[in-house]
Amino acid sequence: MKQKTKKNERNNSTLVNFKWRKCLFGTSFGTAILLLLFGCSLKRHTGIRNLIGRMSDSFSEQARVGPQGNGSYVVTTSQIIDPVGKTLIFSGRPVDLALNPEGTILAVKNIQDIVFFDVLDQTIKQVLKLPEGASNTFTGILWSNNGQKVWTTDTKGYIRSAKMMANGLFAWDDAFQLPSARILTNGVLAWEDEILIPESVRTAKNMAYPGGFVLDEQHGFIYVTLNRYNSVGIINLKTGKYEGHIPVGIAPYDIIVGKGKAYVSNWGGRLPVPGDKTALSSGTPVVVDPGTGIASSGSVSVIDLTSRKVIKEIEVRLHPCGMDIHPDGTRLFVANANSDLISVINTKTDEVIKELSSKPMSELPFGSAPNDLAIAPDGNTLYVANGGNNLIAVIDLRTGSLNGLIPSGWYPGAVVLNRNGNTLFVANTKGVGGRDLGLRKKIGYKSNDHLGSVSFIPVPSKDTLEKYTIKAATNMRLPKIDQTIHLERVKERIVPVPTKPGERSVFKHVLYIIKENKTYDQVFGDLPQANGDSSLCQFGRDITPNHHSLAEKFVLLDNTYCNGVLSADGHQWTNEGYVTDYLEKSFGGFARSYPYEGDDPLAFASSGFIWDNVLQHGLSFRDYGEFVKAKIEPGNATWTDVFNDYKNNTNHVKIQATSEVHTLRPYLCPTFVGFPQTVPDVYRAREFIKELHAYEANDSLPNFMIMLLPNDHTTGTKEGFPTPKASIADNDLALGQIVEAVSKSKFWKETAIFVIQDDPQSGLDHVDGKRTVAFCISPYTKRGEVVSTQYNQNSILRTIELILGLPPMNQFDLTATPMIDCFKNTPDFTPYVALSNNIPLDQLNPEIASLKGKQKYWAKKSMEMPFEDVDMAEDDVLNRIIWYAVKGYDVPYPKLKK
């Protein structure tokens, strides 16, 4: 077993389950194939199948996100969170945990602190903050053999230890800093220093990004994975001296020691060889699938500890992360989070001898995300943290079969067993979502009000495990799937959104628009007909006339949510309906990458993107700015320069689109870029409308179009850029112009437009920080109604798939609620007419020299922010800047109140 007591399907096609996808092509509705898929699956899992009849879908599609009054929570992925045992909720996102040798104290690795729990009392004993500016990395926390110290790794490159004091509390003790590094122009990493830098001499940014590690106290060494160095570092415990590093695979995650050997799980797999298709991840080339651009390798490096060299590279599945060794030492178990499989390695031959699945049903599409595991002391049972299913899967290692499911919190990211094997400890990375549940209540919630949790779960008996299995399956909504697969085929008919076998859609074209960073209340809080809070409204009707007009002319969605928190995960949810373990565990600082532009293949789900789904099924596609980088010439062109080009219809500034995802490049509109905000949204709208007119002439509008319309993000009150009001007005007018152009085109009768934010991080909302602004626009959309059905980004993806006759990509869009309540069967072909802006688009922020008081203070804060890259500005400060700029500097920012 692991020192801390807790601790592939080969990638023949990155798009998993292609066979059942292919079967769907040519059919009119996804559930036709799901009937076959799950019918087969349930037979192979007769235990769970026999329990289905005792389950009911307790999820209400009218439910609002948050606590439900019965102890359970509904989260934005439309799943129910109701863990068993005792669960303690606290601020943060826990990613790892370790139990002390006596089994009395549980140490939990949180974003910016270590949380200590008294195991007997099941209470929080202490919260030990990291030094200012430091954050914890994605994994790695251990106790010393004597139980007097806890060690962790942080994003500044430190391996820190906290020492137990006489009063039983902990204080920071040692801090070994890893050497700083530089990235060479060829993407290869090189050491600058080869010895430890003293604690008093810290670099501003250390790029080692240490993760999992081993304390070899017997021999006096720490072996630590250096995620950005693709190496394992060696530190002398006695001298604190850095003794060198051992190159391993790409993005090493964790390390575990067997007899004379160490095993290292490499998130990014093996090193590339000639002939591999590659892309850069944090400056390092990784092997990618030629057809999708998704990282396509996973490996475990085997290190001989005597020679300190890698003696073998074992190919496993995608995103190998958590590991555990069987108590008899003969087998190593590796969780592969991006392939939904556990690799079993013979530690004598160092070969994969079998693979296990922790999916609740073996034929479920991708999405269970097994990311950590623990083996019972008797070696008979494997407990697997299924992040995507919000449960612990229980596998019998004697038979390899799935014995049952244990409900956990949202996204279990680490699991530990005590020495007796009778209690499970689970760190739930996303806990219950983003709500402050302390003694004070917020006026409004933010998307990054993280609330993680830890569950204390007695290992269940056989009978109790059966009850837990029913509960876990219900929470992940398997009853809904069971109902769906038994739908009878109906007589062929044309409808807006097919919901039964035999139906096909009236729509042939879909435009999917992604915007940036607004909550529902920020924009629609002033609408009295729906569930809004006017006190939190910043960009009401006067600033966003088209948003309000579209919501009132079509449908106003007041119960729709983003699944993500910020742009790094938000664009993954919008584009693939899923976020990998790589991102879910990176909120300590995103030290490797912040892949909102699609510039890190390790961030991509193995199930692929919505455009992969479209192209795999022979449909046409165009990309307007999503996952796009901009090339602007001259490089010093200002917002005013680009706006004047737009206004005067000149071409002094050259704007060109490119993408890090090579498979997207053939489908880019060459003049349509996403960020930066140097480019006005009305310019983007014009470039789209130009192509729309060309498509009309050729009768060739693509079946699927994706678009990024980002300027509602704003640049605060930075000099040279529009005011927040003007930025929002620009975005509002561009959206109105696009809808008007489509609605007046020859394609309107067969086109649906969906709009949603990538994330809602810049504002507050009284329901939930992830509730957001969204639209469903088409001739068949209901008119003038409020729709309060709970939707999310996956609902839009699922609706698009049903319209275009595509299968779901993964478990999340499979179970998402399609937006059928937004549509009617009788069309209204009346075109939309865009409303003029009330705020001048060229209303620029005043120069700082002309300001005074609070306005000058916050303007200076804006100038300090790195707006050249998205979301690099400190979120809470930017929110305040925007609040004061819009509401007035004498209007207090919403605070916590008793």
Side-chain angles (χ1 to χ4, degrees):
M1 295 179 65
K2 300 182 196 178
Q3 180 189 7
K4 54 177 137 179
T5 324
K6 81 160 188 137
K7 21 176 189 198
N8 271 327
E9 156 189 28
R10 297 281 189 269
N11 197 44
N12 296 325
S13 171
T14 303
L15 295 177
V16 298
N17 297 316
F18 177 72
K19 289 183 179 179
W20 65 263
R21 287 174 172 233
K22 189 174 181 181
C23 291
L24 178 63
F25 184 52
T27 68
S28 57
F29 173 56
T31 53
I33 194 63
L34 291 179
L35 177 60
L36 176 62
L37 186 154
F38 285 104
C40 174
S41 169
L42 292 171
K43 290 177 183 177
R44 294 165 70 179
H45 284 72
T46 54
I48 294 180
R49 180 65 187 96
N50 292 336
L51 296 177
I52 286 284
R54 294 163 55 184
M55 303 178 192
S56 60
D57 189 3
S58 57
F59 178 82
S60 168
E61 292 184 350
Q62 303 300 311
R64 298 195 179 275
V65 163
Q68 301 301 297
N70 60 356
S72 69
Y73 294 78
V74 168
V75 293
T76 55
T77 49
S78 297
Q79 296 169 312
I80 299 170
I81 301 302
D82 191 9
V84 296
K86 182 173 181 178
T87 295
L88 300 179
I89 300 170
F90 52 93
S91 176
R93 288 175 68 105
V95 294
D96 205 356
L97 38 69
L99 191 62
N100 72 336
E102 293 78 20
T104 56
I105 303 175
L106 184 72
V108 178
K109 184 168 185 167
N110 201 12
I111 292 181
Q112 292 178 322
D113 52 49
I114 303 297
V115 184
F116 294 93
F117 292 84
D118 186 302
V119 172
L120 181 62
D121 295 339
Q122 297 182 348
T123 57
I124 293 178
K125 179 181 180 70
Q126 182 184 0
V127 177
L128 182 62
K129 294 286 185 182
L130 289 174
E132 186 176 355
S135 298
N136 273 316
T137 56
F138 48 91
T139 194
I141 185 168
L142 292 174
W143 288 83
S144 60
N145 290 341
N146 62 10
Q148 295 301 301
K149 284 187 177 183
V150 171
W151 295 80
T152 187
T153 46
D154 73 17
T155 54
K156 295 293 184 181
Y158 285 86
I159 300 177
R160 301 183 184 275
S161 70
K163 186 176 182 180
M164 183 178 288
M165 310 303 287
N167 60 3
L169 299 179
F170 288 82
W172 292 113
D173 186 28
D174 301 315
F176 295 164
Q177 186 182 25
L178 298 176
S180 58
R182 55 195 172 95
I183 298 180
L184 303 181
T185 55
N186 62 359
V188 178
L189 296 171
W191 297 106
E192 284 184 346
D193 306 295
E194 294 184 348
I195 60 172
L196 281 172
I197 299 174
E199 181 180 359
S200 59
V201 185
R202 299 180 179 179
T203 55
K205 180 180 180 183
N206 189 294
M207 299 170 63
Y209 201 31
F213 59 98
V214 170
L215 288 173
D216 184 357
E217 294 185 79
Q218 180 180 356
H219 299 96
F221 293 105
I222 298 176
Y223 299 98
V224 57
T225 61
L226 308 181
N227 192 267
R228 293 190 70 177
Y229 283 143
N230 308 320
S231 301
V232 169
I234 306 168
I235 297 173
N236 188 306
L237 260 175
K238 295 180 180 179
T239 65
K241 196 172 184 180
Y242 184 81
E243 294 194 354
H245 64 281
I246 306 168
V248 289
I250 304 297
Y253 178 92
D254 205 357
I255 180 170
I256 192 167
V257 172
K259 294 180 180 179
K261 294 186 289 189
Y263 295 89
V264 180
S265 54
N266 300 305
W267 248 345
R270 62 173 174 82
L271 298 173
V273 297
D276 284 336
K277 184 66 179 177
T278 65
L280 292 180
S281 169
S282 196
T284 299
V286 300
V287 181
V288 300
D289 186 288
T292 62
I294 298 167
S296 59
S297 173
S299 70
V300 172
S301 298
V302 186
I303 297 174
D304 179 87
L305 292 178
T306 301
S307 64
R308 292 183 174 179
K309 292 182 180 179
V310 171
I311 57 175
K312 191 165 188 177
E313 195 81 10
I314 306 170
E315 183 181 356
V316 291
R317 303 305 183 167
L318 303 184
H319 289 206
C321 39
M323 301 181 289
D324 204 356
I325 288 181
H326 194 274
D328 65 14
T330 62
R331 287 165 289 166
L332 173 71
F333 294 78
V334 184
N336 301 289
N338 209 14
S339 287
D340 282 357
L341 288 168
I342 294 100
S343 298
V344 185
I345 295 172
N346 183 312
T347 56
K348 182 176 182 180
T349 63
D350 289 332
E351 300 282 348
V352 176
I353 56 174
K354 69 168 64 173
E355 290 174 328
L356 303 173
S357 173
S358 61
K359 288 182 182 178
M361 296 180 184
S362 63
E363 297 301 319
L364 272 173
F366 169 75
S368 289
N371 65 94
D372 199 30
L373 38 77
I375 302 172
D378 63 9
N380 293 332
T381 307
L382 178 68
Y383 297 93
V384 184
N386 276 13
N389 301 139
N390 310 322
L391 55 83
I392 304 298
V394 184
I395 297 175
D396 188 331
L397 291 181
R398 294 164 295 188
T399 64
S401 62
L402 181 66
N403 275 1
L405 313 170
I406 301 174
S408 69
W410 195 5
Y411 206 92
V415 58
V416 167
L417 269 169
N418 65 354
R419 182 173 296 176
N420 295 328
N422 59 15
T423 305
L424 286 163
F425 305 90
V426 183
N428 304 301
T429 299
K430 297 166 76 169
V432 296
R435 287 170 152 261
D436 188 337
L437 299 179
L439 296 176
R440 297 180 296 176
K441 182 179 179 182
K442 282 190 175 182
I443 295 175
Y445 299 108
K446 295 188 301 182
S447 70
N448 59 1
D449 286 337
H450 306 298
L451 276 178
S453 69
V454 166
S455 297
F456 300 74
I457 305 173
V459 170
S461 65
K462 181 179 179 181
D463 289 343
T464 302
L465 181 59
E466 182 176 293
K467 295 176 183 177
Y468 285 177
T469 300
I470 294 174
K471 186 173 186 177
T474 301
N475 290 350
M476 66 171 290
R477 308 192 63 196
L478 284 185
K480 174 181 171 62
I481 296 173
D482 188 57
Q483 294 169 6
T484 302
I485 64 177
H486 290 97
L487 293 174
E488 295 183 2
R489 187 174 185 86
V490 299
K491 186 177 180 180
E492 186 172 332
R493 61 191 180 198
I494 298 175
V495 296
V497 181
T499 59
K500 298 177 182 178
E503 296 178 339
R504 56 190 178 93
S505 179
V506 67
F507 300 117
K508 296 180 180 178
H509 312 284
V510 173
L511 173 59
Y512 179 27
I513 300 175
I514 302 166
K515 302 196 316 99
E516 289 283 334
N517 296 27
K518 293 294 167 282
T519 66
Y520 177 93
D521 277 339
Q522 266 189 297
V523 179
F524 290 145
D526 61 340
L527 291 175
Q529 65 268 42
N531 184 18
D533 185 336
S534 60
S535 70
L536 298 177
C537 183
Q538 295 172 265
F539 305 107
R541 190 183 299 272
D542 184 57
I543 302 172
T544 56
N546 285 290
H547 281 65
H548 283 69
S549 178
L550 288 167
E552 292 178 328
K553 287 183 181 297
F554 294 95
V555 288
L556 174 58
L557 304 173
D558 73 344
N559 197 20
T560 299
Y561 302 84
C562 292
N563 294 331
V565 175
L566 36 67
S567 291
D569 66 337
H571 284 271
Q572 310 304 320
W573 280 114
T574 57
N575 297 344
E576 56 189 0
Y578 185 84
V579 168
T580 64
D581 62 305
Y582 171 77
L583 285 179
E584 294 288 20
K585 295 189 176 183
S586 293
F587 276 73
F590 295 100
R592 276 193 67 90
S593 63
Y594 195 82
Y596 73 96
E597 285 185 323
D599 56 359
D600 189 346
L602 283 183
F604 306 156
S606 62
S607 48
F609 299 98
I610 181 63
W611 52 78
D612 293 322
N613 204 355
V614 166
L615 294 171
Q616 286 281 352
H617 292 87
L619 302 179
S620 52
F621 164 58
R622 192 68 162 170
D623 182 355
Y624 296 94
E626 182 63 3
F627 272 17
V628 162
K629 288 183 177 289
K631 182 179 180 181
I632 299 177
E633 294 179 343
N636 62 351
T638 65
W639 182 92
T640 300
D641 293 334
V642 181
F643 182 72
N644 286 338
D645 256 3
Y646 163 79
K647 187 171 60 176
N648 300 323
N649 202 26
T650 54
N651 195 29
H652 299 307
V653 181
K654 308 295 183 183
I655 298 174
Q656 183 180 353
T658 185
S659 178
E660 294 292 322
V661 183
H662 71 275
T663 56
L664 276 179
R665 293 170 193 160
Y667 305 101
L668 301 181
C669 172
T671 58
F672 195 113
V673 298
F675 286 93
Q677 292 173 267
T678 307
V679 179
D681 276 344
V682 287
Y683 163 86
R684 296 181 175 92
R686 184 184 67 181
E687 297 308 295
F688 167 76
I689 293 169
K690 284 180 183 177
E691 288 209 345
L692 178 64
H693 292 329
Y695 290 135
E696 284 195 284
N698 299 322
D699 197 22
S700 59
L701 186 69
N703 299 112
F704 177 66
M705 297 156 284
I706 194 168
M707 177 184 295
L708 178 59
L709 209 61
N711 280 4
D712 55 339
H713 185 284
T714 85
T715 50
T717 54
K718 189 171 184 176
E719 283 184 11
F721 284 89
T723 64
K725 287 183 179 181
S727 293
I728 301 294
D730 169 37
N731 179 264
D732 177 79
L733 179 58
L735 178 63
Q737 291 172 339
I738 290 166
V739 175
E740 176 178 339
V742 172
S743 70
K744 290 182 176 179
S745 76
K746 64 190 294 184
F747 306 112
W748 175 234
K749 293 182 180 181
E750 298 176 326
T751 301
I753 302 172
F754 298 96
V755 185
I756 198 164
Q757 309 286 308
D758 80 302
D759 68 71
Q761 74 175 108
S762 80
L764 303 173
D765 190 275
H766 82 282
V767 172
D768 189 87
K770 296 187 180 71
R771 192 171 67 135
T772 196
V773 176
F775 297 97
C776 174
I777 302 165
S778 80
Y780 290 84
T781 300
K782 294 175 180 178
R783 300 298 177 114
E785 293 192 22
V786 176
V787 175
S788 296
T789 307
Q790 187 190 121
Y791 297 132
N792 56 31
Q793 290 158 325
N794 290 87
S795 297
I796 291 180
L797 288 173
R798 187 71 190 116
T799 307
I800 292 171
E801 290 164 349
L802 292 172
I803 286 172
L804 297 179
L806 305 173
M809 295 177 287
N810 54 63
Q811 294 178 32
F812 287 89
D813 56 337
L814 166 65
T815 55
T817 302
M819 303 174 74
I820 57 175
D821 289 348
C822 296
F823 292 93
K824 59 181 181 177
N825 291 323
T826 304
D828 181 345
F829 297 118
T830 305
Y832 177 76
V833 178
L835 301 178
S836 300
N837 51 296
N838 298 315
I839 308 296
L841 302 189
D842 57 357
Q843 179 189 84
L844 300 184
N845 290 313
E847 295 181 358
I848 292 180
S850 66
L851 304 177
K852 59 183 180 180
K854 290 183 179 179
Q855 189 174 8
K856 186 171 186 175
Y857 172 83
W858 291 110
K860 284 184 176 181
K861 290 290 185 183
S862 278
M863 294 302 292
E864 295 168 1
M865 290 187 164
F867 284 113
E868 63 275 4
D869 206 354
V870 67
D871 286 357
M872 292 298 102
E874 205 283 315
D875 186 53
D876 187 62
V877 176
L878 179 58
N879 289 355
R880 292 170 186 270
I881 290 170
I882 295 172
W883 175 272
Y884 293 129
V886 173
K887 305 284 275 188
Y889 290 88
D890 294 327
V891 178
Y893 184 76
K895 296 180 180 179
L896 294 170
K897 62 179 182 180
K898 292 285 186 180

